Amino acid sequence: MSLIDKARAAQATAYAPYSKYHVGCALETNSGEVFTGCNIENASYGATLCAERVALFKAVSEGHRNFRRILIATDASTPAPPCGLCRQALSEFCTPDLEIILCGANDTQRRFLFSDLFPHPFDQSSLV
Ligand code: THU
């Protein structure tokens, strides 16, 4: 199954009764494994998790910390980039050359490097 098909399958499992905005994500490790995620909303709103962090945390919790591609699928007419929280969470494990593929309605695509979307992360060096 292609990365887009995996992300679309994850999108179909999104739990988004409040926003009705369904997101699916497929995160590929450097060795080719793919972890998927969907957004999972909560009545408190604040406890909602984005698809990207679900995929990332699934991967990290299974021992994977090196990633080469992430594909994010929505039905938006302009494919939407990951939110700031997800960019910060990804920055902990990703290199600047992580490929970000945004996929919207009709599989319209936009491609970026992680460094395009998040050039100045707060990282370990910020803590000293
Ligand atoms: N959402 C994501 O899953 N990823 C993003 O990068 C942006 C937002 C989800 C959170 C919420 O369930 C819905 O989209 C609307 O914000």
Side-chain angles (χ1 to χ4, degrees):
M1 213 193 259
S2 66
L3 214 54
I4 177 65
D5 287 344
K6 288 183 178 175
R8 288 292 184 204
Q11 186 188 7
T13 67
Y15 177 72
Y18 307 106
S19 73
K20 320 269 190 229
Y21 184 74
H22 294 194
V23 187
C25 173
L27 177 64
E28 186 179 66
T29 68
N30 283 352
S31 45
E33 296 95 333
V34 176
F35 290 84
T36 60
C38 64
N39 53 330
I40 305 171
E41 297 189 344
N42 188 274
S44 71
Y45 290 18
T48 291
L49 261 185
C50 292
E52 296 89 328
R53 276 175 290 150
V54 171
L56 176 67
F57 296 159
K58 280 170 69 177
V60 173
S61 69
E62 304 264 333
H64 298 270
R65 296 182 179 175
N66 299 291
F67 306 103
R68 62 187 181 201
R69 286 197 297 172
I70 185 169
L71 189 148
I72 302 157
T74 65
D75 295 324
S77 47
T78 303
C83 80
L85 274 175
C86 290
R87 294 181 206 198
Q88 179 63 36
L90 285 164
S91 76
E92 189 72 26
F93 299 100
C94 294
T95 52
D97 63 348
L98 174 78
E99 188 180 7
I100 301 187
I101 306 159
L102 309 177
C103 227
N106 305 316
D107 289 345
T108 325
Q109 289 195 3
R110 292 163 78 199
R111 285 168 190 266
F112 296 92
L113 293 180
F114 189 68
S115 56
D116 297 328
L117 295 187
F118 206 54
H120 302 292
F122 181 90
D123 60 19
Q124 286 182 20
S125 68
S126 314
L127 291 170
V128 293

PDB file of all heavy atoms in Angstrom, residues 19 21 23 39 41 48 50-52 81-83 86, ligand 1:
ATOM      1  N   SER A  19     -15.071  18.920  15.315  1.00  0.00           N
ATOM      2  CA  SER A  19     -14.639  19.749  14.174  1.00  0.00           C
ATOM      3  C   SER A  19     -15.124  19.200  12.839  1.00  0.00           C
ATOM      4  O   SER A  19     -15.186  19.939  11.856  1.00  0.00           O
ATOM      5  CB  SER A  19     -13.113  19.841  14.141  1.00  0.00           C
ATOM      6  OG  SER A  19     -12.556  18.609  13.709  1.00  0.00           O
ATOM      7  N   TYR A  21     -13.403  17.611  11.015  1.00  0.00           N
ATOM      8  CA  TYR A  21     -12.217  17.752  10.155  1.00  0.00           C
ATOM      9  C   TYR A  21     -11.369  16.499  10.345  1.00  0.00           C
ATOM     10  O   TYR A  21     -10.767  16.295  11.409  1.00  0.00           O
ATOM     11  CB  TYR A  21     -11.468  19.016  10.581  1.00  0.00           C
ATOM     12  CG  TYR A  21     -10.270  19.378   9.756  1.00  0.00           C
ATOM     13  CD1 TYR A  21     -10.402  19.920   8.479  1.00  0.00           C
ATOM     14  CD2 TYR A  21      -8.983  19.231  10.280  1.00  0.00           C
ATOM     15  CE1 TYR A  21      -9.292  20.278   7.737  1.00  0.00           C
ATOM     16  CE2 TYR A  21      -7.865  19.587   9.548  1.00  0.00           C
ATOM     17  CZ  TYR A  21      -8.030  20.114   8.279  1.00  0.00           C
ATOM     18  OH  TYR A  21      -6.923  20.477   7.547  1.00  0.00           O
ATOM     19  N   VAL A  23      -8.373  13.955   9.719  1.00  0.00           N
ATOM     20  CA  VAL A  23      -6.961  13.989   9.315  1.00  0.00           C
ATOM     21  C   VAL A  23      -6.374  12.586   9.435  1.00  0.00           C
ATOM     22  O   VAL A  23      -6.634  11.867  10.410  1.00  0.00           O
ATOM     23  CB  VAL A  23      -6.147  14.952  10.215  1.00  0.00           C
ATOM     24  CG1 VAL A  23      -4.718  15.104   9.688  1.00  0.00           C
ATOM     25  CG2 VAL A  23      -6.830  16.307  10.327  1.00  0.00           C
ATOM     26  N   ASN A  39      -6.587  11.975  13.793  1.00  0.00           N
ATOM     27  CA  ASN A  39      -6.905  12.857  14.913  1.00  0.00           C
ATOM     28  C   ASN A  39      -7.968  12.216  15.796  1.00  0.00           C
ATOM     29  O   ASN A  39      -8.878  11.517  15.318  1.00  0.00           O
ATOM     30  CB  ASN A  39      -7.303  14.262  14.460  1.00  0.00           C
ATOM     31  CG  ASN A  39      -8.413  14.312  13.439  1.00  0.00           C
ATOM     32  OD1 ASN A  39      -8.576  13.411  12.630  1.00  0.00           O
ATOM     33  ND2 ASN A  39      -9.188  15.373  13.477  1.00  0.00           N
ATOM     34  N   GLU A  41     -10.414  13.406  18.798  1.00  0.00           N
ATOM     35  CA  GLU A  41     -10.919  14.570  19.531  1.00  0.00           C
ATOM     36  C   GLU A  41     -11.492  14.156  20.880  1.00  0.00           C
ATOM     37  O   GLU A  41     -11.671  12.962  21.174  1.00  0.00           O
ATOM     38  CB  GLU A  41     -11.958  15.302  18.672  1.00  0.00           C
ATOM     39  CG  GLU A  41     -11.305  15.827  17.401  1.00  0.00           C
ATOM     40  CD  GLU A  41     -12.188  16.754  16.580  1.00  0.00           C
ATOM     41  OE1 GLU A  41     -13.418  16.791  16.801  1.00  0.00           O
ATOM     42  OE2 GLU A  41     -11.618  17.444  15.704  1.00  0.00           O
ATOM     43  N   THR A  48      -7.684  16.766  22.842  1.00  0.00           N
ATOM     44  CA  THR A  48      -7.608  16.286  21.446  1.00  0.00           C
ATOM     45  C   THR A  48      -6.165  16.062  21.041  1.00  0.00           C
ATOM     46  O   THR A  48      -5.265  16.812  21.419  1.00  0.00           O
ATOM     47  CB  THR A  48      -8.252  17.344  20.521  1.00  0.00           C
ATOM     48  OG1 THR A  48      -9.655  17.373  20.777  1.00  0.00           O
ATOM     49  CG2 THR A  48      -7.996  17.047  19.053  1.00  0.00           C
ATOM     50  N   CYS A  50      -3.697  15.446  17.608  1.00  0.00           N
ATOM     51  CA  CYS A  50      -3.606  15.522  16.145  1.00  0.00           C
ATOM     52  C   CYS A  50      -3.092  14.197  15.574  1.00  0.00           C
ATOM     53  O   CYS A  50      -2.353  13.456  16.236  1.00  0.00           O
ATOM     54  CB  CYS A  50      -2.638  16.619  15.725  1.00  0.00           C
ATOM     55  SG  CYS A  50      -3.188  18.280  16.071  1.00  0.00           S
ATOM     56  N   ALA A  51      -3.423  13.976  14.313  1.00  0.00           N
ATOM     57  CA  ALA A  51      -3.005  12.755  13.617  1.00  0.00           C
ATOM     58  C   ALA A  51      -1.484  12.593  13.607  1.00  0.00           C
ATOM     59  O   ALA A  51      -0.960  11.481  13.780  1.00  0.00           O
ATOM     60  CB  ALA A  51      -3.527  12.798  12.189  1.00  0.00           C
ATOM     61  N   GLU A  52      -0.777  13.702  13.413  1.00  0.00           N
ATOM     62  CA  GLU A  52       0.684  13.638  13.295  1.00  0.00           C
ATOM     63  C   GLU A  52       1.323  13.151  14.598  1.00  0.00           C
ATOM     64  O   GLU A  52       2.255  12.347  14.591  1.00  0.00           O
ATOM     65  CB  GLU A  52       1.258  15.020  12.962  1.00  0.00           C
ATOM     66  CG  GLU A  52       0.827  15.563  11.617  1.00  0.00           C
ATOM     67  CD  GLU A  52      -0.465  16.376  11.680  1.00  0.00           C
ATOM     68  OE1 GLU A  52      -1.341  16.072  12.512  1.00  0.00           O
ATOM     69  OE2 GLU A  52      -0.597  17.309  10.875  1.00  0.00           O
ATOM     70  N   PRO A  81      -0.933  22.405   6.366  1.00  0.00           N
ATOM     71  CA  PRO A  81       0.310  22.005   7.040  1.00  0.00           C
ATOM     72  C   PRO A  81       0.055  21.583   8.482  1.00  0.00           C
ATOM     73  O   PRO A  81      -0.994  21.903   9.049  1.00  0.00           O
ATOM     74  CB  PRO A  81       1.144  23.286   6.992  1.00  0.00           C
ATOM     75  CG  PRO A  81       0.145  24.389   7.008  1.00  0.00           C
ATOM     76  CD  PRO A  81      -1.073  23.874   6.282  1.00  0.00           C
ATOM     77  N   PRO A  82       1.008  20.872   9.097  1.00  0.00           N
ATOM     78  CA  PRO A  82       0.824  20.466  10.495  1.00  0.00           C
ATOM     79  C   PRO A  82       0.799  21.671  11.440  1.00  0.00           C
ATOM     80  O   PRO A  82       1.452  22.684  11.174  1.00  0.00           O
ATOM     81  CB  PRO A  82       2.048  19.578  10.783  1.00  0.00           C
ATOM     82  CG  PRO A  82       3.026  19.852   9.703  1.00  0.00           C
ATOM     83  CD  PRO A  82       2.264  20.371   8.534  1.00  0.00           C
ATOM     84  N   CYS A  83       0.066  21.558  12.532  1.00  0.00           N
ATOM     85  CA  CYS A  83      -0.033  22.658  13.490  1.00  0.00           C
ATOM     86  C   CYS A  83       1.301  22.854  14.223  1.00  0.00           C
ATOM     87  O   CYS A  83       2.206  22.015  14.147  1.00  0.00           O
ATOM     88  CB  CYS A  83      -1.170  22.394  14.484  1.00  0.00           C
ATOM     89  SG  CYS A  83      -0.721  21.250  15.815  1.00  0.00           S
ATOM     90  N   CYS A  86       2.471  20.078  16.623  1.00  0.00           N
ATOM     91  CA  CYS A  86       2.993  18.894  15.920  1.00  0.00           C
ATOM     92  C   CYS A  86       4.365  19.171  15.329  1.00  0.00           C
ATOM     93  O   CYS A  86       5.244  18.312  15.343  1.00  0.00           O
ATOM     94  CB  CYS A  86       2.012  18.433  14.844  1.00  0.00           C
ATOM     95  SG  CYS A  86       0.522  17.711  15.549  1.00  0.00           S
TER      96      CYS A  86
HETATM   97  N1  THU B   1      -5.566  18.476  13.450  1.00  0.00           N
HETATM   98  C1  THU B   1      -4.673  17.492  13.124  1.00  0.00           C
HETATM   99  O1  THU B   1      -4.963  16.300  13.280  1.00  0.00           O
HETATM  100  N2  THU B   1      -3.471  17.867  12.640  1.00  0.00           N
HETATM  101  C2  THU B   1      -3.069  19.159  12.455  1.00  0.00           C
HETATM  102  O2  THU B   1      -1.910  19.410  12.157  1.00  0.00           O
HETATM  103  C3  THU B   1      -4.056  20.235  12.583  1.00  0.00           C
HETATM  104  C4  THU B   1      -5.293  19.882  13.309  1.00  0.00           C
HETATM  105  C5  THU B   1      -6.875  18.080  13.983  1.00  0.00           C
HETATM  106  C6  THU B   1      -7.097  18.471  15.414  1.00  0.00           C
HETATM  107  C7  THU B   1      -8.600  18.574  15.460  1.00  0.00           C
HETATM  108  O3  THU B   1      -9.132  17.278  15.681  1.00  0.00           O
HETATM  109  C8  THU B   1      -9.000  19.022  14.073  1.00  0.00           C
HETATM  110  O4  THU B   1      -7.886  18.722  13.244  1.00  0.00           O
HETATM  111  C9  THU B   1      -9.347  20.491  13.951  1.00  0.00           C
HETATM  112  O5  THU B   1      -8.336  21.294  14.467  1.00  0.00           O
END
